[in-house]
Amino acid sequence: MSTGGAETERQAWLRTVAADVARLDRSSSAERAADILRRSITEGALPPGAQLSEIELTEVLEVSRNTLREAFRLLTHEGLLVYKLHRGVFVPELDERDVIDLYRLRRVLEVDVVRGLADRDPELPASRLEPLQDDVEAAEAAARTDRWPAVGTANMRFHEHLIGLADSSRMDAMTGRLLAELRLLFHVIATPRELHEPYIERNRRLFELLDARKYDEAAADLHQYLLDSEAGILAAFRDKGLRTPART
């Protein structure tokens, strides 16, 4: 991408951040700022390696520098930002170990949530799957107009709402970080279409299995879905020659 194109995207992102500030509650400023930046990562607006400017963000987030630094600290603790000495704060670049670790966690969380729905079925409201249906339809609509980043965002929300079926505040909190890290992995795929197109139909199938209350079949389908997704991401890392660095 050209320097001019990157700057245009950066300015568009900053305008989105400013709009988020206007919509969100004014309390807990550091957590609010962290939530906005986390969502920016999850929705693909902040790619791996992006540097965050304190000057820009204190202005658009309408927070003090100390509050912004607290938000940075929260996200650094989550692994969503890294501080580089004498250089500043950056979005991290993940490696193959991260792929394997994150997908192991996805299988534990998501497949278990789906499998557990069989026991909870009588207590679940009839509207429980509406957010999932909305996400599937949003992805399909975005694909028809070649808005592939929007397809990716709808996919992220689909999995967020899937884990949300567990009605666990702790799982929900974990999911926010998990999906943000996943979006960082997804940047390694050459194009958003290449990454997300195969899973539009698979999300539709998974929703239909859940809607039909075929929970065991849905759990098995999701397990294979996640294995296939992991294999695709690992292949993309290897095709690009992104070797896993040694860790000390």
Side-chain angles (χ1 to χ4, degrees):
M1 179 182 295
S2 67
T3 302
E7 181 59 25
T8 298
E9 286 195 2
R10 183 178 185 82
Q11 293 303 317
W13 168 63
L14 289 171
R15 288 193 295 272
T16 300
V17 169
D20 284 342
V21 170
R23 286 196 297 270
L24 294 181
D25 180 68
R26 309 295 292 182
S27 62
S28 303
S29 296
E31 288 84 355
R32 175 172 53 83
D35 285 344
I36 291 172
L37 295 175
R38 188 185 298 107
R39 185 163 63 252
S40 293
I41 294 172
T42 303
E43 296 183 354
L46 283 174
Q51 183 173 12
L52 302 189
S53 165
E54 283 192 4
I55 295 174
E56 288 180 336
L57 288 173
T58 52
E59 181 177 347
V60 297
L61 289 169
E62 301 177 12
V63 296
S64 69
R65 184 162 291 189
N66 284 341
T67 297
L68 180 63
R69 287 175 177 172
E70 175 63 13
F72 284 171
R73 188 193 68 78
L74 291 171
L75 293 175
T76 300
H77 180 71
E78 294 179 14
L80 297 179
L81 293 178
V82 293
Y83 174 74
K84 298 183 180 181
L85 189 62
H86 304 311
R87 294 183 59 195
V89 177
F90 294 80
V91 179
E93 298 180 79
L94 305 186
D95 60 39
E96 289 185 40
R97 285 195 183 96
D98 297 305
V99 177
I100 294 166
D101 196 31
L102 285 168
Y103 272 88
R104 182 185 299 123
L105 177 58
R106 290 191 76 182
R107 288 191 293 273
V108 169
L109 281 178
E110 297 188 44
V111 176
D112 185 69
V113 166
V114 170
R115 190 174 287 120
L117 291 176
D119 294 331
R120 299 180 54 238
D121 189 85
E123 70 189 58
L124 293 172
S127 60
R128 71 198 187 285
L129 297 182
E130 287 180 1
L132 292 171
Q133 183 175 15
D134 291 343
D135 297 331
V136 168
E137 292 175 353
E140 291 170 343
R144 286 194 292 271
T145 53
D146 289 326
R147 293 181 293 115
W148 295 101
V151 173
T153 297
N155 180 60
M156 292 286 99
R157 290 174 179 161
F158 179 88
H159 290 279
E160 179 180 17
H161 289 139
L162 181 68
I163 295 174
L165 293 173
D167 294 324
S168 166
S169 59
R170 290 176 176 82
M171 279 192 179
D172 290 343
M174 187 183 298
T175 300
R177 171 183 172 180
L178 170 63
L179 294 181
E181 288 191 278
L182 280 170
R183 195 61 180 256
L184 294 179
L185 293 179
F186 291 168
H187 283 280
V188 77
I189 301 292
T191 67
R193 178 171 187 166
E194 179 186 355
L195 173 64
H196 297 298
E197 189 171 31
Y199 294 93
I200 297 173
E201 183 177 345
R202 294 182 78 161
N203 284 351
R204 165 66 71 178
R205 170 176 164 76
L206 183 57
F207 163 73
E208 290 174 349
L209 288 172
L210 293 172
D211 194 41
R213 302 173 186 264
K214 297 179 179 179
Y215 299 122
D216 287 343
E217 187 175 349
D221 194 76
L222 178 58
H223 181 78
Q224 187 59 52
Y225 172 126
L226 294 174
L227 289 174
D228 293 343
S229 180
E230 178 184 13
I233 299 294
L234 286 172
F237 268 86
R238 291 159 186 163
D239 287 348
K240 289 193 171 185
L242 299 176
R243 296 183 178 275
T244 301
R247 295 187 177 180
T248 57

